[in-house]
Amino acid sequence: MSFYAVIGDPVSHSKSPLIHSLFAKQTGESISYVAQKVVAKKFEEFVSEFFKDGGSGLNVTLPHKERAYKLARNCDQGAQTAEAANTLFLNSAGEICAANTDGPGLVADIKFNNGVQIRGKDLLLIGAGGAVRGALVSLIEEKPSSITVVNRTLSRANALKTKFNKMPRIKTSTYDDLGDDYDLIINGTSLGLTHEVPPLKAINVRQGAFCYDMFYADRQTAFVNWAKTNGAETAIDGLGMLVEQAAESFLLWRGIRPETRTVIEELKSA
């Protein structure tokens, strides 16, 4: 049996153990997968000991994604560009490798599970941290009409813009200066963990807009509730993204990509 875990702080809310147990049952793979709280100062030590003790792979969540990237010897393009990783594993030489499956997971959920096209849309990304960085490459590849990054601190948004300067032009804004409206609004902040909402205005929500919270909760997230009451046609949380990015991790670890729709529906019904 192969051993896997998701590590973060907090992590007790994580549905990843259930998701991967469903993947294992579906594919016939023999794995054990647990959630483990790891504080920041113990991150590198934990990862090192996990793999020394025979662990096969880790998923990494807040606040460790940037540390995961820095720790790895080899990184895929998504992790390199984002400078953040959510998946760790060993290569044949025993080196720690990192991948970022958040972007592909987000795009898959928006396009294939919800039938929403990103191409040609005016896109607003809320936040300039690791979650947004991890998703930005995949979103850019979908060729939206425009991309705006809004953040409390404009310098962080501008730093993100500079980092992606070889890609199509990205606009930046503070919340106070954000006066346009958007077709697709994606919340990449962690405010939902404390039941807060980014200080957007109703005028930022274009008629027929699709709003997406990259985080999820057992109840409707504060951002999803705000979006529904401020003109969004559809607003959902990131449960589907969680399943899709997990499927990408499972593929890296096991060489097989599980079917996701039935898992998403099972989690929703639960």
Side-chain angles (χ1 to χ4, degrees), residues 65 76-79 81-82 84-87 99-113 118 123 125 130-142 164 186 212 214 240-246 248-249 257:
K65 292 184 180 184
D76 74 355
Q77 183 179 359
T81 306
N86 72 335
T87 304
N100 195 317
T101 66
D102 283 337
L106 172 65
V107 169
D109 192 38
I110 292 174
K111 287 182 62 178
F112 305 123
N113 297 331
I118 302 169
L123 169 61
L125 294 174
V132 169
R133 287 205 311 275
L136 196 47
V137 171
S138 296
L139 290 168
I140 288 171
E141 289 174 348
E142 293 300 312
F164 287 83
I186 300 175
Y212 193 99
M214 292 174 69
M241 174 186 172
L242 176 70
V243 175
E244 295 292 347
Q245 63 83 21
E248 294 291 335
S249 294
R257 195 184 197 283

Side-chain angles (χ1 to χ4, degrees), residues 4-60:
Y4 301 90
V6 56
I7 56 177
D9 182 18
V11 77
S12 60
H13 67 289
S14 177
K15 297 185 185 297
S16 292
L18 173 58
I19 291 169
H20 282 276
S21 70
L22 293 172
F23 286 167
K25 182 178 179 181
Q26 178 192 128
T27 60
E29 296 289 302
S30 178
I31 72 168
S32 172
Y33 189 111
V34 300
Q36 177 68 51
K37 179 180 177 179
V38 177
V39 298
K41 65 181 180 180
K42 295 287 186 179
F43 175 78
E44 289 79 6
E45 177 185 348
F46 178 90
V47 173
S48 176
E49 290 300 316
F50 178 85
F51 285 117
K52 282 182 181 177
D53 292 342
S56 297
L58 290 168
N59 283 136
V60 182

Side-chain angles (χ1 to χ4, degrees), residues 243-265:
V243 175
E244 295 292 347
Q245 63 83 21
E248 294 291 335
S249 294
F250 196 90
L251 174 62
L252 286 170
W253 293 333
R254 311 299 297 180
I256 182 172
R257 195 184 197 283
E259 191 276 324
T260 55
R261 286 183 182 249
T262 56
V263 174
I264 292 171
E265 291 306 315

Side-chain angles (χ1 to χ4, degrees), residues 118 121-125 132 136-137 139-150 160 167-172 182:
I118 302 169
K121 300 292 179 66
D122 290 317
L123 169 61
L124 176 65
L125 294 174
V132 169
L136 196 47
V137 171
L139 290 168
I140 288 171
E141 289 174 348
E142 293 300 312
K143 302 188 185 317
S145 177
S146 69
I147 299 175
T148 300
V149 177
V150 61
L160 190 65
M167 301 192 180
R169 183 169 174 267
I170 296 172
K171 305 173 187 176
T172 60
Y182 300 90

Side-chain angles (χ1 to χ4, degrees), residues 56-215:
S56 297
L58 290 168
N59 283 136
V60 182
T61 188
L62 290 172
H64 304 316
K65 292 184 180 184
E66 294 176 22
R67 299 178 81 118
Y69 161 75
K70 292 176 181 177
L71 180 65
R73 292 289 302 274
N74 297 285
C75 300
D76 74 355
Q77 183 179 359
Q80 287 178 14
T81 306
E83 296 184 356
N86 72 335
T87 304
L88 295 175
F89 56 96
L90 297 181
N91 62 15
S92 58
E95 299 171 325
I96 295 176
C97 300
N100 195 317
T101 66
D102 283 337
L106 172 65
V107 169
D109 192 38
I110 292 174
K111 287 182 62 178
F112 305 123
N113 297 331
N114 291 281
V116 175
Q117 293 302 311
I118 302 169
R119 179 183 291 268
K121 300 292 179 66
D122 290 317
L123 169 61
L124 176 65
L125 294 174
I126 308 172
V132 169
R133 287 205 311 275
L136 196 47
V137 171
S138 296
L139 290 168
I140 288 171
E141 289 174 348
E142 293 300 312
K143 302 188 185 317
S145 177
S146 69
I147 299 175
T148 300
V149 177
V150 61
N151 196 62
R152 290 184 187 274
T153 307
L154 187 60
S155 60
R156 289 201 69 190
N158 285 335
L160 190 65
K161 175 181 176 179
T162 300
K163 179 173 179 56
F164 287 83
N165 64 355
K166 293 182 180 180
M167 301 192 180
R169 183 169 174 267
I170 296 172
K171 305 173 187 176
T172 60
S173 178
T174 63
Y175 292 103
D176 289 340
D177 294 333
L178 192 67
D180 294 329
D181 58 350
Y182 300 90
D183 302 298
L184 178 56
I185 301 175
I186 300 175
N187 177 32
T189 73
S190 58
L191 289 173
L193 297 176
T194 53
H195 309 290
E196 297 176 80
V197 177
L200 296 180
K201 300 177 277 292
I203 60 170
N204 301 136
V205 183
R206 184 170 295 171
Q207 184 176 1
F210 180 84
C211 293
Y212 193 99
D213 194 341
M214 292 174 69
F215 293 86

